[in-house]
Structures are given as C-alpha cells and as structure tokens.
Amino acid sequence: MQVYEAPLRDMKFVLHELHQDDGFGNLEALEEFTPDLVDAVLEEAAKVAQEVLLPLNRSGDVEGCTLENGVVRTPQGFKEAYELFREGGWCALASDPEWGGQGLPESVNKMTEEMICSANLSFSLYPGLTHGGTTAIEGYASDELKQFYLPKMVSGTWSGTMCLTESHCGTDLGMLRTKAVPQDDGSYKLTGGKIFISAGEHDLTENIIHLVLARLPDAPAGVKGISLFLVPKYLPKDDGTPGPSNGVSVAAIEHKMGLKASATCQLNFEESTGWLVGKPNKGLEAMFTMMNTERVSVGVQGLGVGEAAYQSAVWYAKDRLQGRSLSGVKNPNGPADPIIVHPDVRRMLMTMRAYNEGCRAISAWVSRALDAEKHATDPEVKQRAQDFVALMTPVVKALFTDLGFETANLAVQVYGGHGYIAESGVEQYVRDARIAMIYEGTNGIQALDLVGRKLPAHMGRYLRAFFHPVSQFIEANKGDETFGKMIEALEKAFGALQLSTATIAQKGMKDPEEGAAAATEYLRLTGLVAMAYCFAKSALIAQRKLAEGTEEAAFYKTKLTTAQFYFDRILPQATAVFLAIKAGKGSMMALEAEAF
C-alpha cells in the first residue's frame, strides 16, 4: 500500500534548527521569508502532495502515457492535477519575481520538491524540467528571449525540456550530430534526433520549449563545438499564443522500467526554427547550468522515493501479523505479533529512516548554500557557498539516489512476497527510483567529477568549505560527556576521508586510473562523513532541547535514537570504504578485456 504523510516536523528541524550556524543564513534578500511563512508554505505543499498527487501515483503507473497520431496523452487525472498545481503557483515557487516567480528560498523549494517526488515522481518531472530550463535561459539567453519565454515558462503555461542525448552517444556529448544552420533573420534551422527526452511531449501545457544541443556548420570537433538552442514545439505568435508546428515530432515513447506516467520521448527535429542561447560553440557551459540545478533535484528525487518507500514499509510492518517476538508475546489477542517486533525488520526500517533523515539534513545544508550563493552580499560567504555547492552537487546526486534505491529495495523486503506483487505498490518505488542513478550523469560520472574536477580545483579550495566546519565541530565537542564516543567516531571517519583525499591526490598525479578506481568509494565516504556530522549536530541539539524540558520530547528522543543507530550500524561502513580506496586499482584493472 502506498501511504505518505509529509515529514513536516523533520523538515522544519533541518531548516530552522540544525544549520543555523552554517554561515549561510541571515540573508537580507530573504528576510521576508520568516519561519512562520516558510512553515505555512510547506504545510500547503504537503496538502497538494498528499491529496492531489499521491492518489495518481499508482494509477498513473498502471495506465502510463500513450502516443496517438503524434500526440502524447498523460494518464487520467494528470492534466487536471497539473492545472491545479500551476494555478496554485507551485511552478513558480523559487523563480525570480522579475519573470513572475515567487522568489522563495531554494531551501524551501527543495523541501517542496521532496514532497512532490515522494507523492508522485513521474509528475514531478514535468514542472521540474521546466524550472531547470528557465535557469539556463535566465543565465545565458538574450534579453529578448528572456522577456518572451520566461514569464510563460515560470508560470507553467509553457513547459521545458533539455535535449542532449542521441542514440549513438550518451555521456560523450562530443559525438552528437544534430546540426544547426544559421538563417538570415538570426534564427537557426535544426535537424537531428534526440532520445530519452523527459517530458518531451505531453498534453499538460500550451507549448513545450526544448533546449537543444547542436553543432553549427563550422563548429570544431568534440565538446568544444557544441551550441545550445531554444526550440519551441509551436512557433509562438507575436501575442504569445502558440502558432504553427515547428517541425518537432515524436518518433516514439520510450518503454521504460519505471516512471511510466512521465513521457520520455524520442524526438525528431526537421528544419525546426531555434535561437542561440549563449555564445556559439559554448553550449555546454549554458546547459550545465541547467544540469547542475537538475543534479541536486535528482538527488532530492532519490530522497523523495526513499521517504515514501519507508513510510509504506512502516505501515506494513505494523499491520502484518507473522511470528512471535523473541522477547515475549506483544499481541496476546492476535494469532501473531506484527512483524515490526522482529530485529531484522527493525534493522531495515531503521536503516531506511537513517538514510532519509541523513539525506534530508544534507539537502537542507546544500540548499541553504544555494541561497547564499545567489543572495549573499559578503563576497567571502558567497565564495564559500559556491565552493560548497560545487563540491557537494555530485555527492547529493549520487549518494541520495543510491540510498533511495536501496531504501526502495528494503521496502520490498519488508513486505516479503507481497512486496514483489504489483498490488502492494512498493515495487513501483524500486522501478521509479532506478533511473535516478542514471540520468543527469550516471553516479559513476558524478564520482569522477568529484575526484577528477572538484578535488583538484583551485588547489583543493572546494574541500575547505566542507572540511573546516566538520573539523571545528569535532574540536569544539570531542570532550562532551554524553556524546564523546559519537564525536570520536566522527573524528575517525573524518580522518579516513582526509587520508583518502591525500592518497587519491598522490596516486592520481602519477596514474589517473588510480583516482578513477577510487572515485565511487570516495564519494560514498564523503557522504557518510557529511551524514555523521549532521547526525552528531542533531544529537546535541536534541539533548539540549530535552534538557530544557521541551513539549516535543518524543520528537527529540527519536532524533537521538536515529543518530545513535547511524553511528552504531551505518557509519562503520566508512572503514570498509577506506580500505577499498587504499587497495588501489590493481585487482580492478588486472584482467585483460578478453578475460571477461
């Protein structure tokens, strides 16, 4: 059974209590967004997620999208839900007021995104891709394009896509073949085919604005010869209403493992009119503005699915009667005890809970830095925020989606055989979560980005934005009478991360394959330490609140227990990951290709 109630209390905790000392708050531009206002927004978002989007999740998965005579139809109820979503202003939540947005902090937007993804991941992609598209247009398009396209995209009247992948190339965009030919009026004619285009065609909006990577006739080879173009599905009239078709057609809907209600399309561009976004042959710079925004959002997708899967598993574990507790009967009036009494079921549920709370804490930390990156007036704070976001973006994308998929798998395991049956609803979470580890750059690519680009950048400057607060926290609290062992465990894991950083830097200078061989483990170790830091801070805050005699004692006791579980049962993974990093590439690269 798919059940979901937005974890508002935990969201408020990470927004208002956990990260108040991170140096990314107190932004003058965001002063009007008081905690009371933020809480009201989150509570309304929860209603939309629970009452409008969740009921369409399974039905949308069963029905899927259909292609009829070149037109894609979304599942029953999606069009009405999208219109309600748009009219409620949710499409414009974090967009610039200059274009009709509400200008809310990104920290609030990410919590809203999590709720939408928990309730209906397929639905989330339609407004989500549009928001990413507006980011690229706002950053790189001409004023004329901004004025004409952004208001309708921000409002959700028009939607957006990103068109990168072609059938013969995925991550290696230097191989793409779509061409763009200049026209006398300053426009371009684009011809080529793209695959895996999320929200590439649908019936939710009046128009769809495609951001397309293509090559100019005189473009240099490889990634240095890629430009970005804005290509509408319909050529708009001067008054902004949709005009004639622009030569964009749907060849097929992809038949996918999950996300059935999200229209992932193969698109053909046939002499389609487009306009340059950014400079010629500099399209990747503009597109990566969108992709980096989307990568954090994809990480939140993993968290969203993980939370929904966890809640469904908890519901089932409390409802399913099977076996008796090893410590004595807990349900004397029934034929058996609920399976939540069994240690192994508790192991799975606590693991899921810790993953979700840990990811949510990191998400709030990173999104606060996103706000500071945009709004801070102190150059030092702005630079530190930029560094932290750059370092943590691949971690958020890869760690959250890895753990979200693991959590969905654990939910199926909690359900047992019923979890493998479609009627339970939890197998959908496994199928939906799996793509998040792949799109917007596979998690292996994220790890290579972390090790190959982010670590050496500016002589390791990005690391300081993460290492310094962790180090300072350890020094300030290592003698704590209650949490000394917890801080000691954090210190050891942090030490392993520091040693791993040095090892990769030294080996990588001599042999780039050494860094690549350690990349995935290094990203996981970074994530484990970041979570440990957040859980240790949570524990100290919870202990202080309990000592003060808070009326929310149950919430803070739960925080303490979850933090202790993380340090007891999950953080020890750091030792194994550290040893794997130290082992180097030897056995990994030893076999000749023919031996596989």
Side-chain angles (χ1 to χ4, degrees), residues 438-558:
I438 299 172
Y439 59 17
E440 302 300 346
T442 66
N443 287 0
I445 292 295
Q446 303 305 315
L448 290 174
D449 175 49
L450 177 63
V451 167
R453 293 192 181 100
K454 303 304 172 56
L455 294 195
H458 308 291
M459 301 296 291
R461 192 187 74 205
Y462 291 170
L463 283 170
R464 293 198 289 272
F466 174 48
F467 280 15
H468 283 185
V470 175
S471 178
Q472 291 165 3
F473 176 82
I474 292 170
E475 287 302 313
N477 295 284
K478 62 192 310 181
D480 188 278
E481 294 182 3
T482 305
F483 298 104
K485 290 185 177 179
M486 188 178 287
I487 304 301
E488 182 181 344
L490 169 61
E491 185 176 27
K492 288 181 179 178
F494 181 51
L497 178 60
Q498 292 174 303
L499 288 172
S500 296
T501 304
T503 298
I504 290 172
Q506 292 168 1
K507 289 185 176 181
M509 289 181 65
K510 300 176 182 177
D511 183 354
E513 283 189 345
E514 284 287 358
T520 292
E521 285 85 2
Y522 183 83
L523 187 148
R524 176 58 66 96
L525 182 56
T526 303
L528 289 170
V529 171
M531 276 193 183
Y533 169 66
C534 290
F535 273 119
K537 289 182 68 178
S538 297
L540 266 63
I541 292 170
Q543 183 65 28
R544 185 177 70 248
K545 289 287 186 177
L546 289 169
E548 293 171 355
T550 176
E551 295 179 356
E552 296 182 290
F555 172 79
Y556 290 107
K557 286 178 181 178
T558 301

Side-chain angles (χ1 to χ4, degrees), residues 398-432:
L399 180 75
F400 288 21
T401 56
D402 279 350
L403 299 185
F405 182 68
E406 184 177 335
T407 296
N409 269 314
L410 286 172
V412 171
Q413 194 69 21
V414 170
Y415 274 69
H418 289 285
Y420 197 66
I421 303 300
E423 283 76 8
S424 72
V426 291
E427 56 83 36
Q428 180 188 344
Y429 293 132
V430 176
R431 292 185 288 104
D432 285 355

Side-chain angles (χ1 to χ4, degrees), residues 7 10 15 18 31 47-48 54 99 135 164 191 206 253 258 263 320 345 349 380 411 469 473 494-495 575:
D10 196 48
L15 282 179
L18 181 59
E31 283 181 345
K47 292 177 184 177
V48 174
L54 180 63
W99 315 114
T135 303
L164 291 77
T191 302
E206 293 177 0
I253 296 179
R320 173 71 167 174
V345 173
L349 294 179
E380 184 178 341
F473 176 82
F494 181 51
T575 300

Side-chain angles (χ1 to χ4, degrees), residues 242-265:
S245 176
N246 191 25
V248 184
S249 60
V250 184
I253 296 179
E254 307 287 6
H255 298 284
K256 301 171 296 185
M257 175 179 175
L259 292 185
K260 305 283 189 175
S262 171
T264 308
C265 302

